[in-house]
């Protein structure tokens, strides 16, 4: 009887789930809304119900599922699978692993969601074949996962990989949600990119393509900025180059410290593709140590929204069969 792995990527709005073979092949994937009411007390129950319903739909017994891996937003106590803090869900010192195992009657392993995405890219994505990779996710915020010799780097308090909170703007930076000023997240997340674009529009050429698109009714977004940059709009290209410089600077610091084989850039912002990757690589070449420049390569992620569930499946597989 072929066994299955259950991967879960817990988000603040939706929760992605997938049944995956032990070889990393997708059997079925789906998502459910994340119920944040009453400080998220129904999340584990809803996941258990969704899994039971899917197995019934597929006419598969739960005995075929080896276990459940879950990526959660926030730092994780990897010794017991509890969540130190997940602000968007109202959790603090939350015993997620214990509660999930009670509800679903399967062994569970919990990790930070960015770490899970890094594992997914290592197993089946842009990092395939590498055992030393760093994954940076550019979305509403900026996250990161560090894999060394095939193992997640947690740090003393589970906060390793907080790449989004590296300081890259030392003069005139803006406040970050973390309480610091000038974090990478303030200039390389989707939100930060929109802010930089707004500042450029306020002081730049009103005849720019970006301004014209906004006046025509398109809402300002990082996606629109990249579209205009690809069309050759000078103002948009200037903003994109600024973002790329900040990100390349941060990645050079990571490269100089870790010297990974691959740095993988994922998340919604990464869909911009080469228009973003080109200035990132240029900045990395400028700031990184020579041996790092030659040995560490920067790639775009290839798994998209599946990275988290695939990484979660890999982790439960390897925790059960180390």
């Amino acid at each position: 009887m072929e066994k299955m792995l259950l991967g879960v990527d817990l988000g603040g709005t939706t929760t992605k789930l997938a049944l995956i073979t032990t070889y990393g092949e997708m059997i079925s994937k789906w998502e459910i809304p994340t119920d944040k009411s009453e400080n998220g007390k129904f999340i584990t129950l809803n996941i258990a119900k969704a899994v039971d319903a899917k197995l019934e739909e597929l006419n598969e017994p739960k005995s075929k599922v080896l276990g459940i891996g879950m990526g959660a937003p926030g730092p994780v106590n990897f010794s017991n699978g509890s969540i130190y803090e997940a602000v968007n869900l109202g959790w603090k010192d939350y015993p997620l692993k214990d509660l999930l195992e009670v509800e679903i009657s399967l062994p569970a392993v919990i990790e930070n969601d960015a770490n899970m995405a890094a594992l997914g890219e290592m197993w089946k994505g842009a990092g395939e074949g590498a055992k030393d990779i760093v994954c940076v996710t550019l979305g509403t915020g900026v996250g990161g996962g560090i894999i060394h010799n095939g193992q997640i780097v947690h740090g003393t308090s589970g906060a390793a990989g907080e790449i989004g909170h590296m300081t890259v703007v030392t003069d005139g930076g803006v406040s970050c949600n973390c309480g610091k000023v000038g974090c990478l997240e303030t200039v390389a997340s989707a939100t930060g990119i929109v802010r930089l674009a707004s500042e450029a529009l306020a002081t730049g050429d009103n005849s720019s393509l970006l301004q014209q698109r906004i006046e025509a009714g398109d809402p300002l977004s990082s996606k629109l900025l990249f579209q205009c940059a690809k069309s050759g709009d000078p103002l948009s290209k200037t903003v994109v180059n600024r973002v790329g410089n900040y990100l390349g600077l941060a990645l050079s610091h990571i490269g100089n410290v870790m010297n990974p084989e691959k740095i993988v850039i994922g998340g919604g912002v990464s869909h911009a593709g080469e228009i973003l990757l080109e200035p990132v690589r240029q900045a990395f070449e400028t700031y990184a140590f020579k041996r790092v420049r030659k040995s560490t390569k920067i790639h775009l992620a290839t798994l998209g929204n599946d990275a988290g569930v695939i990484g979660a499946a890999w982790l439960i597989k390897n925790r059960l069969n180390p």
Side-chain angles (χ1 to χ4, degrees):
M1 181 171 65
E2 184 182 1
K3 294 292 186 178
M4 298 184 289
L5 306 164
L6 178 60
V8 178
D9 185 2
L10 175 62
T13 304
T14 61
T15 298
K16 301 177 182 65
L17 303 96
L19 288 166
I20 298 169
T21 72
T22 54
Y23 298 101
E25 298 162 346
M26 193 73 67
I27 298 169
S28 180
K29 62 179 179 178
W30 71 107
E31 61 182 50
I32 61 173
T34 301
D35 184 356
K36 295 186 286 187
S37 64
E38 298 186 42
N39 290 329
K41 69 178 291 185
F42 303 110
I43 286 175
T44 53
L45 175 61
N46 291 342
I47 290 171
K49 287 180 177 179
V51 172
D52 287 342
K54 179 58 68 172
L55 290 171
E56 183 176 353
E57 175 190 324
L58 298 174
N59 196 28
E60 297 282 9
K62 186 178 284 188
S63 58
K64 286 185 66 174
V65 182
L66 286 173
I68 175 172
M70 177 188 283
V76 175
N77 184 335
F78 60 90
S79 65
N80 61 17
S82 65
I83 306 298
Y84 284 116
E85 187 174 23
V87 177
N88 292 337
L89 301 176
W91 289 349
K92 189 166 185 178
D93 296 324
Y94 191 77
L96 180 56
K97 178 180 183 292
D98 292 343
L99 293 174
L100 187 61
E101 288 183 336
V102 167
E103 295 289 2
I104 204 164
S105 301
L106 288 169
V109 60
I110 311 297
E111 257 298 350
N112 172 264
D113 51 2
N115 287 340
M116 289 301 201
L119 289 172
E121 291 290 342
M122 180 188 75
W123 189 22
K124 290 294 177 180
E128 189 172 359
K131 293 300 181 183
D132 284 83
I133 76 167
V134 175
C135 185
V136 183
T137 53
L138 308 176
T140 305
V142 174
I146 300 171
I147 310 295
H148 173 61
N149 197 27
Q151 301 295 319
I152 298 168
V153 177
H154 293 100
T156 301
S157 62
E162 288 292 347
I163 293 165
H165 300 295
M166 295 175 65
T167 301
V168 293
V169 185
T170 58
D171 185 19
V174 300
S175 297
C176 180
N177 290 331
C178 74
K180 289 169 66 256
V181 173
C183 293
L184 179 64
E185 187 166 297
T186 66
V187 290
S189 66
T191 306
I193 292 169
V194 167
R195 182 184 59 78
L196 292 179
S198 297
E199 291 176 355
L201 287 168
T203 59
D205 182 1
N206 290 332
S207 65
S208 71
L209 176 60
L210 182 61
Q211 183 67 47
Q212 293 172 17
R213 291 283 299 272
I214 293 170
E215 290 175 354
D218 291 328
L220 178 57
S221 65
S222 60
K223 182 179 180 180
L224 179 62
L225 175 78
F226 287 121
Q227 287 175 350
C228 292
K230 289 177 183 178
S231 297
D233 179 40
L235 183 144
S236 299
K237 289 174 69 175
T238 297
V239 175
V240 171
N241 288 339
R242 187 179 175 193
V243 172
N245 187 72
Y246 285 131
L247 183 54
L249 173 64
L251 297 187
S252 75
H253 295 328
I254 295 167
N256 288 345
V257 172
M258 298 296 299
N259 190 203
E261 183 177 343
K262 297 179 180 180
I263 296 176
V264 178
I265 302 175
V269 173
S270 72
H271 296 161
E274 288 297 323
I275 193 75
L276 173 63
L277 202 57
E278 182 179 352
V280 170
R281 284 176 170 154
Q282 288 177 354
F284 186 82
E285 288 286 321
T286 299
Y287 301 124
F289 180 60
K290 181 170 66 173
R291 290 181 65 84
V292 172
R293 294 199 304 267
K294 291 182 176 180
S295 57
T296 296
K297 305 303 178 185
I298 301 175
H299 301 271
L300 291 173
T302 60
L303 296 179
N305 290 332
D306 293 341
V309 292
I310 291 174
W314 183 92
L315 192 57
I316 189 66
K317 170 189 173 183
N318 284 272
R319 287 285 175 89
L320 293 176
N321 300 286

